[in-house]
Amino acid sequence: MTETEIPQAELRERAGELRLHGLLAHWGEVFAQPEQARWVTQLLEWEAAERARRSLERRLRGARIGRFKPLADFDWDWPKQCDRTALEDLMTLEFMKDAGNVVLVGPNGVGKTMCAANIGYQAVLAGHTVLFTTAGQMLSDLAALDSDSTLRRRLRQYAAPDLLLIDEV
């Protein structure tokens, strides 16, 4: 076995994660022939990569983060009150493990929205679901609902993501 070859047990596990039950049913036949085994290995790698890419795109669209300035382009010299260490700590997403809340407070124009968008983007990259909305959008959306059951369903939609970012509170 070369360094680039993946053990059959790991490949079988990948096929199971991808729900390729037909392939799993004929596993012995496929891996009895080395050429087919190489082809299936490549196919599994392509499929896993494509599904990961599509999942990321779907989560990014669903997050509704929009365009934002990357944290790498942030001017740390202004505003002076911005705690860079605290923000970098937030980017590790440790607060999500404890289901903690984060509130960014400051005057207009200091980068609260940009920081929230970067945290949301980092969470999407880490595999979490995110929803970015403004308080006004969320409240007008909820106020427009006319029945209790619709309101409960919509509240579940707001509570469903792993991370809910509410801007302009």
mmCIF file of all heavy atoms in Angstrom, residues 46-97:
data_model
loop_
_atom_site.group_PDB
_atom_site.id
_atom_site.type_symbol
_atom_site.label_atom_id
_atom_site.label_comp_id
_atom_site.label_asym_id
_atom_site.label_seq_id
_atom_site.Cartn_x
_atom_site.Cartn_y
_atom_site.Cartn_z
ATOM 1 N N TRP A 46 -14.058 12.576 -4.938
ATOM 2 C CA TRP A 46 -14.754 13.636 -5.677
ATOM 3 C C TRP A 46 -16.113 13.935 -5.054
ATOM 4 O O TRP A 46 -16.489 15.091 -4.891
ATOM 5 C CB TRP A 46 -14.965 13.232 -7.136
ATOM 6 C CG TRP A 46 -13.742 13.224 -7.984
ATOM 7 C CD1 TRP A 46 -12.563 13.892 -7.774
ATOM 8 C CD2 TRP A 46 -13.574 12.503 -9.205
ATOM 9 N NE1 TRP A 46 -11.682 13.630 -8.781
ATOM 10 C CE2 TRP A 46 -12.280 12.787 -9.681
ATOM 11 C CE3 TRP A 46 -14.386 11.660 -9.934
ATOM 12 C CZ2 TRP A 46 -11.785 12.250 -10.855
ATOM 13 C CZ3 TRP A 46 -13.903 11.122 -11.114
ATOM 14 C CH2 TRP A 46 -12.611 11.417 -11.566
ATOM 15 N N GLU A 47 -16.845 12.880 -4.750
ATOM 16 C CA GLU A 47 -18.188 13.057 -4.209
ATOM 17 C C GLU A 47 -18.154 13.748 -2.847
ATOM 18 O O GLU A 47 -18.948 14.654 -2.574
ATOM 19 C CB GLU A 47 -18.902 11.705 -4.096
ATOM 20 C CG GLU A 47 -20.358 11.804 -3.703
ATOM 21 C CD GLU A 47 -21.233 12.475 -4.740
ATOM 22 O OE1 GLU A 47 -20.864 12.527 -5.931
ATOM 23 O OE2 GLU A 47 -22.315 12.958 -4.358
ATOM 24 N N ALA A 48 -17.238 13.340 -1.994
ATOM 25 C CA ALA A 48 -17.127 13.966 -0.671
ATOM 26 C C ALA A 48 -16.745 15.444 -0.806
ATOM 27 O O ALA A 48 -17.316 16.302 -0.129
ATOM 28 C CB ALA A 48 -16.103 13.224 0.184
ATOM 29 N N ALA A 49 -15.807 15.750 -1.685
ATOM 30 C CA ALA A 49 -15.379 17.139 -1.887
ATOM 31 C C ALA A 49 -16.520 17.985 -2.453
ATOM 32 O O ALA A 49 -16.738 19.125 -2.015
ATOM 33 C CB ALA A 49 -14.167 17.190 -2.807
ATOM 34 N N GLU A 50 -17.242 17.450 -3.415
ATOM 35 C CA GLU A 50 -18.351 18.196 -4.026
ATOM 36 C C GLU A 50 -19.476 18.439 -3.030
ATOM 37 O O GLU A 50 -20.047 19.516 -2.965
ATOM 38 C CB GLU A 50 -18.881 17.461 -5.265
ATOM 39 C CG GLU A 50 -19.990 18.172 -5.977
ATOM 40 C CD GLU A 50 -19.618 19.531 -6.545
ATOM 41 O OE1 GLU A 50 -18.410 19.836 -6.676
ATOM 42 O OE2 GLU A 50 -20.538 20.304 -6.858
ATOM 43 N N ARG A 51 -19.795 17.431 -2.230
ATOM 44 C CA ARG A 51 -20.845 17.611 -1.225
ATOM 45 C C ARG A 51 -20.429 18.622 -0.168
ATOM 46 O O ARG A 51 -21.247 19.418 0.290
ATOM 47 C CB ARG A 51 -21.202 16.273 -0.586
ATOM 48 C CG ARG A 51 -21.980 15.369 -1.525
ATOM 49 C CD ARG A 51 -22.476 14.137 -0.829
ATOM 50 N NE ARG A 51 -23.069 13.208 -1.770
ATOM 51 C CZ ARG A 51 -23.794 12.173 -1.412
ATOM 52 N NH1 ARG A 51 -24.025 11.923 -0.144
ATOM 53 N NH2 ARG A 51 -24.294 11.369 -2.323
ATOM 54 N N ALA A 52 -19.162 18.610 0.217
ATOM 55 C CA ALA A 52 -18.675 19.598 1.189
ATOM 56 C C ALA A 52 -18.754 21.007 0.610
ATOM 57 O O ALA A 52 -19.166 21.951 1.290
ATOM 58 C CB ALA A 52 -17.245 19.262 1.603
ATOM 59 N N ARG A 53 -18.388 21.152 -0.660
ATOM 60 C CA ARG A 53 -18.441 22.472 -1.310
ATOM 61 C C ARG A 53 -19.881 22.967 -1.391
ATOM 62 O O ARG A 53 -20.180 24.104 -1.049
ATOM 63 C CB ARG A 53 -17.832 22.390 -2.708
ATOM 64 C CG ARG A 53 -17.779 23.739 -3.444
ATOM 65 C CD ARG A 53 -17.429 23.578 -4.916
ATOM 66 N NE ARG A 53 -18.432 22.853 -5.676
ATOM 67 C CZ ARG A 53 -19.597 23.376 -6.085
ATOM 68 N NH1 ARG A 53 -19.908 24.614 -5.786
ATOM 69 N NH2 ARG A 53 -20.444 22.650 -6.792
ATOM 70 N N ARG A 54 -20.783 22.092 -1.814
ATOM 71 C CA ARG A 54 -22.187 22.492 -1.941
ATOM 72 C C ARG A 54 -22.804 22.795 -0.584
ATOM 73 O O ARG A 54 -23.618 23.714 -0.446
ATOM 74 C CB ARG A 54 -22.969 21.406 -2.665
ATOM 75 C CG ARG A 54 -22.573 21.317 -4.141
ATOM 76 C CD ARG A 54 -23.280 20.230 -4.859
ATOM 77 N NE ARG A 54 -24.720 20.498 -4.810
ATOM 78 C CZ ARG A 54 -25.633 19.751 -5.383
ATOM 79 N NH1 ARG A 54 -25.264 18.674 -6.049
ATOM 80 N NH2 ARG A 54 -26.900 20.042 -5.299
ATOM 81 N N SER A 55 -22.419 22.051 0.436
ATOM 82 C CA SER A 55 -22.912 22.308 1.782
ATOM 83 C C SER A 55 -22.455 23.682 2.261
ATOM 84 O O SER A 55 -23.233 24.444 2.852
ATOM 85 C CB SER A 55 -22.419 21.223 2.739
ATOM 86 O OG SER A 55 -22.750 21.537 4.060
ATOM 87 N N LEU A 56 -21.197 24.005 2.016
ATOM 88 C CA LEU A 56 -20.671 25.316 2.402
ATOM 89 C C LEU A 56 -21.421 26.427 1.675
ATOM 90 O O LEU A 56 -21.840 27.416 2.301
ATOM 91 C CB LEU A 56 -19.173 25.398 2.099
ATOM 92 C CG LEU A 56 -18.510 26.747 2.364
ATOM 93 C CD1 LEU A 56 -18.606 27.128 3.834
ATOM 94 C CD2 LEU A 56 -17.059 26.716 1.910
ATOM 95 N N GLU A 57 -21.625 26.272 0.377
ATOM 96 C CA GLU A 57 -22.360 27.289 -0.390
ATOM 97 C C GLU A 57 -23.784 27.443 0.132
ATOM 98 O O GLU A 57 -24.281 28.559 0.270
ATOM 99 C CB GLU A 57 -22.392 26.917 -1.877
ATOM 100 C CG GLU A 57 -21.080 27.108 -2.581
ATOM 101 C CD GLU A 57 -21.123 26.671 -4.040
ATOM 102 O OE1 GLU A 57 -22.185 26.161 -4.499
ATOM 103 O OE2 GLU A 57 -20.101 26.840 -4.718
ATOM 104 N N ARG A 58 -24.449 26.338 0.439
ATOM 105 C CA ARG A 58 -25.817 26.382 0.950
ATOM 106 C C ARG A 58 -25.865 27.086 2.310
ATOM 107 O O ARG A 58 -26.737 27.915 2.561
ATOM 108 C CB ARG A 58 -26.370 24.959 1.042
ATOM 109 C CG ARG A 58 -27.828 24.863 1.366
ATOM 110 C CD ARG A 58 -28.378 23.429 1.293
ATOM 111 N NE ARG A 58 -27.527 22.403 1.865
ATOM 112 C CZ ARG A 58 -26.766 21.556 1.156
ATOM 113 N NH1 ARG A 58 -26.724 21.612 -0.150
ATOM 114 N NH2 ARG A 58 -26.038 20.647 1.773
ATOM 115 N N ARG A 59 -24.927 26.764 3.176
ATOM 116 C CA ARG A 59 -24.906 27.403 4.492
ATOM 117 C C ARG A 59 -24.573 28.894 4.384
ATOM 118 O O ARG A 59 -25.133 29.703 5.116
ATOM 119 C CB ARG A 59 -23.921 26.695 5.424
ATOM 120 C CG ARG A 59 -24.482 25.376 5.942
ATOM 121 C CD ARG A 59 -23.567 24.647 6.906
ATOM 122 N NE ARG A 59 -22.488 23.997 6.166
ATOM 123 C CZ ARG A 59 -21.201 24.319 6.247
ATOM 124 N NH1 ARG A 59 -20.807 25.255 7.070
ATOM 125 N NH2 ARG A 59 -20.311 23.681 5.526
ATOM 126 N N LEU A 60 -23.685 29.255 3.451
ATOM 127 C CA LEU A 60 -23.370 30.676 3.247
ATOM 128 C C LEU A 60 -24.589 31.443 2.728
ATOM 129 O O LEU A 60 -24.867 32.554 3.194
ATOM 130 C CB LEU A 60 -22.198 30.839 2.279
ATOM 131 C CG LEU A 60 -20.814 30.667 2.877
ATOM 132 C CD1 LEU A 60 -19.756 30.654 1.788
ATOM 133 C CD2 LEU A 60 -20.522 31.766 3.892
ATOM 134 N N ARG A 61 -25.306 30.863 1.775
ATOM 135 C CA ARG A 61 -26.525 31.518 1.268
ATOM 136 C C ARG A 61 -27.557 31.649 2.379
ATOM 137 O O ARG A 61 -28.181 32.702 2.557
ATOM 138 C CB ARG A 61 -27.133 30.708 0.120
ATOM 139 C CG ARG A 61 -26.697 31.125 -1.236
ATOM 140 C CD ARG A 61 -27.550 30.494 -2.331
ATOM 141 N NE ARG A 61 -27.919 29.099 -2.127
ATOM 142 C CZ ARG A 61 -27.180 28.062 -2.477
ATOM 143 N NH1 ARG A 61 -26.005 28.239 -3.046
ATOM 144 N NH2 ARG A 61 -27.600 26.825 -2.266
ATOM 145 N N GLY A 62 -27.749 30.592 3.138
ATOM 146 C CA GLY A 62 -28.739 30.590 4.218
ATOM 147 C C GLY A 62 -28.386 31.540 5.346
ATOM 148 O O GLY A 62 -29.266 32.039 6.035
ATOM 149 N N ALA A 63 -27.112 31.806 5.527
ATOM 150 C CA ALA A 63 -26.670 32.698 6.598
ATOM 151 C C ALA A 63 -27.059 34.149 6.324
ATOM 152 O O ALA A 63 -27.199 34.941 7.246
ATOM 153 C CB ALA A 63 -25.160 32.588 6.787
ATOM 154 N N ARG A 64 -27.194 34.508 5.065
ATOM 155 C CA ARG A 64 -27.543 35.872 4.657
ATOM 156 C C ARG A 64 -26.573 36.911 5.224
ATOM 157 O O ARG A 64 -26.991 37.995 5.634
ATOM 158 C CB ARG A 64 -28.976 36.208 5.056
ATOM 159 C CG ARG A 64 -29.994 35.377 4.333
ATOM 160 C CD ARG A 64 -31.374 35.886 4.599
ATOM 161 N NE ARG A 64 -32.133 34.832 5.259
ATOM 162 C CZ ARG A 64 -33.223 35.030 5.959
ATOM 163 N NH1 ARG A 64 -33.719 36.220 6.078
ATOM 164 N NH2 ARG A 64 -33.843 34.026 6.515
ATOM 165 N N ILE A 65 -25.301 36.558 5.238
ATOM 166 C CA ILE A 65 -24.282 37.489 5.740
ATOM 167 C C ILE A 65 -24.044 38.612 4.739
ATOM 168 O O ILE A 65 -23.842 39.756 5.116
ATOM 169 C CB ILE A 65 -22.964 36.744 6.054
ATOM 170 C CG1 ILE A 65 -23.188 35.760 7.198
ATOM 171 C CG2 ILE A 65 -21.855 37.725 6.403
ATOM 172 C CD1 ILE A 65 -22.022 34.849 7.478
ATOM 173 N N GLY A 66 -24.066 38.294 3.470
ATOM 174 C CA GLY A 66 -23.825 39.316 2.451
ATOM 175 C C GLY A 66 -22.343 39.649 2.351
ATOM 176 O O GLY A 66 -21.472 38.943 2.862
ATOM 177 N N ARG A 67 -22.056 40.755 1.682
ATOM 178 C CA ARG A 67 -20.667 41.190 1.520
ATOM 179 C C ARG A 67 -20.202 41.897 2.792
ATOM 180 O O ARG A 67 -20.964 42.630 3.408
ATOM 181 C CB ARG A 67 -20.553 42.120 0.327
ATOM 182 C CG ARG A 67 -20.934 41.453 -0.980
ATOM 183 C CD ARG A 67 -20.806 42.410 -2.135
ATOM 184 N NE ARG A 67 -19.424 42.841 -2.304
ATOM 185 C CZ ARG A 67 -18.554 42.286 -3.134
ATOM 186 N NH1 ARG A 67 -18.927 41.268 -3.880
ATOM 187 N NH2 ARG A 67 -17.332 42.736 -3.228
ATOM 188 N N PHE A 68 -18.961 41.647 3.152
ATOM 189 C CA PHE A 68 -18.403 42.286 4.339
ATOM 190 C C PHE A 68 -16.897 42.392 4.193
ATOM 191 O O PHE A 68 -16.287 41.710 3.385
ATOM 192 C CB PHE A 68 -18.763 41.502 5.609
ATOM 193 C CG PHE A 68 -18.209 40.108 5.624
ATOM 194 C CD1 PHE A 68 -16.990 39.835 6.218
ATOM 195 C CD2 PHE A 68 -18.900 39.057 5.039
ATOM 196 C CE1 PHE A 68 -16.472 38.552 6.222
ATOM 197 C CE2 PHE A 68 -18.398 37.775 5.038
ATOM 198 C CZ PHE A 68 -17.183 37.519 5.632
ATOM 199 N N LYS A 69 -16.319 43.253 4.999
ATOM 200 C CA LYS A 69 -14.878 43.445 5.000
ATOM 201 C C LYS A 69 -14.233 42.350 5.857
ATOM 202 O O LYS A 69 -14.628 42.164 7.012
ATOM 203 C CB LYS A 69 -14.556 44.821 5.595
ATOM 204 C CG LYS A 69 -13.101 45.171 5.625
ATOM 205 C CD LYS A 69 -12.933 46.499 6.350
ATOM 206 C CE LYS A 69 -11.881 47.333 5.714
ATOM 207 N NZ LYS A 69 -11.767 48.641 6.369
ATOM 208 N N PRO A 70 -13.270 41.629 5.312
ATOM 209 C CA PRO A 70 -12.598 40.592 6.117
ATOM 210 C C PRO A 70 -11.857 41.207 7.309
ATOM 211 O O PRO A 70 -11.360 42.328 7.230
ATOM 212 C CB PRO A 70 -11.612 39.954 5.149
ATOM 213 C CG PRO A 70 -12.011 40.405 3.800
ATOM 214 C CD PRO A 70 -12.772 41.671 3.953
ATOM 215 N N LEU A 71 -11.810 40.477 8.371
ATOM 216 C CA LEU A 71 -11.140 40.943 9.581
ATOM 217 C C LEU A 71 -9.673 41.259 9.317
ATOM 218 O O LEU A 71 -9.101 42.126 9.965
ATOM 219 C CB LEU A 71 -11.272 39.883 10.682
ATOM 220 C CG LEU A 71 -11.071 40.348 12.111
ATOM 221 C CD1 LEU A 71 -12.024 41.474 12.457
ATOM 222 C CD2 LEU A 71 -11.272 39.195 13.064
ATOM 223 N N ALA A 72 -9.080 40.581 8.340
ATOM 224 C CA ALA A 72 -7.676 40.830 7.999
ATOM 225 C C ALA A 72 -7.474 42.262 7.505
ATOM 226 O O ALA A 72 -6.376 42.815 7.635
ATOM 227 C CB ALA A 72 -7.205 39.846 6.937
ATOM 228 N N ASP A 73 -8.523 42.887 6.940
ATOM 229 C CA ASP A 73 -8.430 44.256 6.432
ATOM 230 C C ASP A 73 -8.840 45.306 7.459
ATOM 231 O O ASP A 73 -8.885 46.488 7.152
ATOM 232 C CB ASP A 73 -9.314 44.422 5.187
ATOM 233 C CG ASP A 73 -8.857 43.557 4.036
ATOM 234 O OD1 ASP A 73 -7.686 43.106 4.055
ATOM 235 O OD2 ASP A 73 -9.669 43.310 3.121
ATOM 236 N N PHE A 74 -9.180 44.882 8.676
ATOM 237 C CA PHE A 74 -9.638 45.812 9.718
ATOM 238 C C PHE A 74 -8.489 46.683 10.195
ATOM 239 O O PHE A 74 -7.376 46.204 10.415
ATOM 240 C CB PHE A 74 -10.237 45.027 10.882
ATOM 241 C CG PHE A 74 -10.912 45.876 11.919
ATOM 242 C CD1 PHE A 74 -12.064 46.573 11.610
ATOM 243 C CD2 PHE A 74 -10.399 45.958 13.201
ATOM 244 C CE1 PHE A 74 -12.705 47.349 12.564
ATOM 245 C CE2 PHE A 74 -11.022 46.726 14.157
ATOM 246 C CZ PHE A 74 -12.182 47.420 13.846
ATOM 247 N N ASP A 75 -8.752 47.960 10.366
ATOM 248 C CA ASP A 75 -7.746 48.915 10.860
ATOM 249 C C ASP A 75 -7.763 48.889 12.385
ATOM 250 O O ASP A 75 -8.629 49.492 13.022
ATOM 251 C CB ASP A 75 -8.060 50.318 10.336
ATOM 252 C CG ASP A 75 -7.017 51.344 10.776
ATOM 253 O OD1 ASP A 75 -5.966 50.936 11.336
ATOM 254 O OD2 ASP A 75 -7.247 52.541 10.545
ATOM 255 N N TRP A 76 -6.812 48.189 12.964
ATOM 256 C CA TRP A 76 -6.758 48.035 14.420
ATOM 257 C C TRP A 76 -6.289 49.298 15.131
ATOM 258 O O TRP A 76 -6.383 49.393 16.352
ATOM 259 C CB TRP A 76 -5.868 46.847 14.795
ATOM 260 C CG TRP A 76 -6.460 45.552 14.367
ATOM 261 C CD1 TRP A 76 -6.092 44.802 13.299
ATOM 262 C CD2 TRP A 76 -7.555 44.866 14.972
ATOM 263 N NE1 TRP A 76 -6.887 43.691 13.194
ATOM 264 C CE2 TRP A 76 -7.798 43.698 14.217
ATOM 265 C CE3 TRP A 76 -8.364 45.123 16.074
ATOM 266 C CZ2 TRP A 76 -8.792 42.794 14.525
ATOM 267 C CZ3 TRP A 76 -9.367 44.210 16.377
ATOM 268 C CH2 TRP A 76 -9.582 43.067 15.621
ATOM 269 N N ASP A 77 -5.795 50.272 14.383
ATOM 270 C CA ASP A 77 -5.372 51.535 14.993
ATOM 271 C C ASP A 77 -6.558 52.453 15.269
ATOM 272 O O ASP A 77 -6.446 53.426 16.005
ATOM 273 C CB ASP A 77 -4.364 52.254 14.083
ATOM 274 C CG ASP A 77 -3.064 51.475 13.956
ATOM 275 O OD1 ASP A 77 -2.694 50.784 14.930
ATOM 276 O OD2 ASP A 77 -2.429 51.550 12.894
ATOM 277 N N TRP A 78 -7.703 52.148 14.634
ATOM 278 C CA TRP A 78 -8.904 52.918 14.879
ATOM 279 C C TRP A 78 -10.091 51.989 14.852
ATOM 280 O O TRP A 78 -10.215 51.201 13.917
ATOM 281 C CB TRP A 78 -9.097 53.988 13.812
ATOM 282 C CG TRP A 78 -10.238 54.890 14.144
ATOM 283 C CD1 TRP A 78 -10.193 56.044 14.863
ATOM 284 C CD2 TRP A 78 -11.621 54.683 13.810
ATOM 285 N NE1 TRP A 78 -11.451 56.567 14.988
ATOM 286 C CE2 TRP A 78 -12.358 55.746 14.346
ATOM 287 C CE3 TRP A 78 -12.310 53.699 13.119
ATOM 288 C CZ2 TRP A 78 -13.720 55.865 14.219
ATOM 289 C CZ3 TRP A 78 -13.685 53.820 12.984
ATOM 290 C CH2 TRP A 78 -14.374 54.898 13.528
ATOM 291 N N PRO A 79 -10.954 51.965 15.748
ATOM 292 C CA PRO A 79 -10.982 52.751 16.977
ATOM 293 C C PRO A 79 -10.046 52.165 18.029
ATOM 294 O O PRO A 79 -9.808 50.966 18.052
ATOM 295 C CB PRO A 79 -12.434 52.628 17.432
ATOM 296 C CG PRO A 79 -12.878 51.306 16.897
ATOM 297 C CD PRO A 79 -12.134 51.118 15.598
ATOM 298 N N LYS A 80 -9.545 53.003 18.861
ATOM 299 C CA LYS A 80 -8.566 52.579 19.880
ATOM 300 C C LYS A 80 -9.202 51.654 20.926
ATOM 301 O O LYS A 80 -8.528 50.863 21.549
ATOM 302 C CB LYS A 80 -7.965 53.796 20.600
ATOM 303 C CG LYS A 80 -7.177 54.702 19.682
ATOM 304 C CD LYS A 80 -5.791 54.194 19.525
ATOM 305 C CE LYS A 80 -4.974 55.209 18.741
ATOM 306 N NZ LYS A 80 -3.956 54.634 17.944
ATOM 307 N N GLN A 81 -10.520 51.771 21.134
ATOM 308 C CA GLN A 81 -11.182 51.004 22.191
ATOM 309 C C GLN A 81 -11.442 49.544 21.811
ATOM 310 O O GLN A 81 -11.851 48.760 22.636
ATOM 311 C CB GLN A 81 -12.545 51.632 22.543
ATOM 312 C CG GLN A 81 -12.472 53.053 22.985
ATOM 313 C CD GLN A 81 -12.592 54.015 21.792
ATOM 314 O OE1 GLN A 81 -12.368 53.661 20.650
ATOM 315 N NE2 GLN A 81 -12.905 55.259 22.084
ATOM 316 N N CYS A 82 -11.238 49.170 20.570
ATOM 317 C CA CYS A 82 -11.536 47.811 20.139
ATOM 318 C C CYS A 82 -10.524 46.830 20.743
ATOM 319 O O CYS A 82 -9.316 46.993 20.591
ATOM 320 C CB CYS A 82 -11.502 47.725 18.614
ATOM 321 S SG CYS A 82 -12.078 46.144 18.000
ATOM 322 N N ASP A 83 -11.026 45.841 21.424
ATOM 323 C CA ASP A 83 -10.187 44.844 22.080
ATOM 324 C C ASP A 83 -9.879 43.724 21.082
ATOM 325 O O ASP A 83 -10.683 42.810 20.885
ATOM 326 C CB ASP A 83 -10.899 44.297 23.316
ATOM 327 C CG ASP A 83 -10.034 43.371 24.144
ATOM 328 O OD1 ASP A 83 -8.922 43.011 23.692
ATOM 329 O OD2 ASP A 83 -10.467 43.009 25.252
ATOM 330 N N ARG A 84 -8.719 43.813 20.466
ATOM 331 C CA ARG A 84 -8.336 42.857 19.429
ATOM 332 C C ARG A 84 -8.257 41.435 19.966
ATOM 333 O O ARG A 84 -8.702 40.480 19.321
ATOM 334 C CB ARG A 84 -6.992 43.276 18.824
ATOM 335 C CG ARG A 84 -6.559 42.391 17.687
ATOM 336 C CD ARG A 84 -5.289 42.893 17.054
ATOM 337 N NE ARG A 84 -4.981 42.124 15.858
ATOM 338 C CZ ARG A 84 -4.078 42.463 14.973
ATOM 339 N NH1 ARG A 84 -3.392 43.585 15.124
ATOM 340 N NH2 ARG A 84 -3.846 41.713 13.930
ATOM 341 N N THR A 85 -7.723 41.274 21.156
ATOM 342 C CA THR A 85 -7.589 39.942 21.752
ATOM 343 C C THR A 85 -8.963 39.305 21.969
ATOM 344 O O THR A 85 -9.155 38.120 21.681
ATOM 345 C CB THR A 85 -6.824 40.027 23.088
ATOM 346 O OG1 THR A 85 -5.594 40.706 22.870
ATOM 347 C CG2 THR A 85 -6.548 38.660 23.659
ATOM 348 N N ALA A 86 -9.918 40.098 22.453
ATOM 349 C CA ALA A 86 -11.265 39.571 22.689
ATOM 350 C C ALA A 86 -11.913 39.164 21.370
ATOM 351 O O ALA A 86 -12.556 38.111 21.286
ATOM 352 C CB ALA A 86 -12.120 40.610 23.406
ATOM 353 N N LEU A 87 -11.734 39.985 20.339
ATOM 354 C CA LEU A 87 -12.317 39.664 19.043
ATOM 355 C C LEU A 87 -11.673 38.416 18.436
ATOM 356 O O LEU A 87 -12.368 37.556 17.890
ATOM 357 C CB LEU A 87 -12.181 40.849 18.088
ATOM 358 C CG LEU A 87 -12.954 40.742 16.795
ATOM 359 C CD1 LEU A 87 -14.421 40.442 17.044
ATOM 360 C CD2 LEU A 87 -12.811 42.008 15.993
ATOM 361 N N GLU A 88 -10.367 38.295 18.546
ATOM 362 C CA GLU A 88 -9.692 37.104 18.041
ATOM 363 C C GLU A 88 -10.136 35.870 18.815
ATOM 364 O O GLU A 88 -10.252 34.779 18.249
ATOM 365 C CB GLU A 88 -8.177 37.291 18.091
ATOM 366 C CG GLU A 88 -7.677 38.266 17.045
ATOM 367 C CD GLU A 88 -6.212 38.621 17.181
ATOM 368 O OE1 GLU A 88 -5.596 38.304 18.229
ATOM 369 O OE2 GLU A 88 -5.677 39.234 16.245
ATOM 370 N N ASP A 89 -10.414 36.045 20.112
ATOM 371 C CA ASP A 89 -10.934 34.939 20.918
ATOM 372 C C ASP A 89 -12.328 34.531 20.438
ATOM 373 O O ASP A 89 -12.653 33.343 20.374
ATOM 374 C CB ASP A 89 -10.970 35.337 22.394
ATOM 375 C CG ASP A 89 -11.343 34.177 23.288
ATOM 376 O OD1 ASP A 89 -10.790 33.074 23.096
ATOM 377 O OD2 ASP A 89 -12.192 34.371 24.186
ATOM 378 N N LEU A 90 -13.158 35.507 20.077
ATOM 379 C CA LEU A 90 -14.484 35.201 19.542
ATOM 380 C C LEU A 90 -14.389 34.432 18.229
ATOM 381 O O LEU A 90 -15.232 33.580 17.940
ATOM 382 C CB LEU A 90 -15.291 36.486 19.328
ATOM 383 C CG LEU A 90 -15.769 37.205 20.578
ATOM 384 C CD1 LEU A 90 -16.406 38.533 20.204
ATOM 385 C CD2 LEU A 90 -16.736 36.341 21.354
ATOM 386 N N MET A 91 -13.376 34.726 17.439
ATOM 387 C CA MET A 91 -13.216 34.059 16.148
ATOM 388 C C MET A 91 -12.891 32.571 16.304
ATOM 389 O O MET A 91 -13.043 31.802 15.366
ATOM 390 C CB MET A 91 -12.136 34.751 15.311
ATOM 391 C CG MET A 91 -12.499 36.164 14.892
ATOM 392 S SD MET A 91 -13.912 36.236 13.803
ATOM 393 C CE MET A 91 -13.180 35.631 12.311
ATOM 394 N N THR A 92 -12.479 32.134 17.486
ATOM 395 C CA THR A 92 -12.243 30.710 17.735
ATOM 396 C C THR A 92 -13.562 29.953 17.926
ATOM 397 O O THR A 92 -13.568 28.723 17.929
ATOM 398 C CB THR A 92 -11.365 30.483 18.980
ATOM 399 O OG1 THR A 92 -12.081 30.933 20.139
ATOM 400 C CG2 THR A 92 -10.022 31.195 18.857
ATOM 401 N N LEU A 93 -14.649 30.700 18.154
ATOM 402 C CA LEU A 93 -15.998 30.158 18.329
ATOM 403 C C LEU A 93 -16.166 29.345 19.609
ATOM 404 O O LEU A 93 -17.097 28.550 19.729
ATOM 405 C CB LEU A 93 -16.419 29.325 17.109
ATOM 406 C CG LEU A 93 -16.319 30.004 15.752
ATOM 407 C CD1 LEU A 93 -16.647 29.016 14.636
ATOM 408 C CD2 LEU A 93 -17.207 31.229 15.677
ATOM 409 N N GLU A 94 -15.296 29.550 20.573
ATOM 410 C CA GLU A 94 -15.402 28.826 21.850
ATOM 411 C C GLU A 94 -16.724 29.127 22.551
ATOM 412 O O GLU A 94 -17.273 28.274 23.229
ATOM 413 C CB GLU A 94 -14.230 29.180 22.767
ATOM 414 C CG GLU A 94 -12.921 28.546 22.372
ATOM 415 C CD GLU A 94 -12.948 27.027 22.498
ATOM 416 O OE1 GLU A 94 -13.461 26.508 23.508
ATOM 417 O OE2 GLU A 94 -12.456 26.360 21.581
ATOM 418 N N PHE A 95 -17.241 30.351 22.396
ATOM 419 C CA PHE A 95 -18.491 30.733 23.053
ATOM 420 C C PHE A 95 -19.661 29.866 22.585
ATOM 421 O O PHE A 95 -20.647 29.703 23.305
ATOM 422 C CB PHE A 95 -18.805 32.217 22.821
ATOM 423 C CG PHE A 95 -19.152 32.564 21.404
ATOM 424 C CD1 PHE A 95 -20.470 32.604 20.992
ATOM 425 C CD2 PHE A 95 -18.153 32.866 20.482
ATOM 426 C CE1 PHE A 95 -20.797 32.927 19.683
ATOM 427 C CE2 PHE A 95 -18.464 33.188 19.175
ATOM 428 C CZ PHE A 95 -19.797 33.215 18.774
ATOM 429 N N MET A 96 -19.563 29.283 21.384
ATOM 430 C CA MET A 96 -20.651 28.447 20.867
ATOM 431 C C MET A 96 -20.728 27.106 21.586
ATOM 432 O O MET A 96 -21.810 26.530 21.705
ATOM 433 C CB MET A 96 -20.489 28.237 19.364
ATOM 434 C CG MET A 96 -20.729 29.496 18.556
ATOM 435 S SD MET A 96 -20.590 29.245 16.789
ATOM 436 C CE MET A 96 -22.026 28.224 16.485
ATOM 437 N N LYS A 97 -19.602 26.627 22.084
ATOM 438 C CA LYS A 97 -19.596 25.346 22.804
ATOM 439 C C LYS A 97 -20.411 25.443 24.088
ATOM 440 O O LYS A 97 -21.025 24.469 24.508
ATOM 441 C CB LYS A 97 -18.167 24.915 23.108
ATOM 442 C CG LYS A 97 -17.385 24.544 21.871
ATOM 443 C CD LYS A 97 -15.972 24.171 22.202
ATOM 444 C CE LYS A 97 -15.202 23.872 20.921
ATOM 445 N NZ LYS A 97 -13.782 23.743 21.145
#
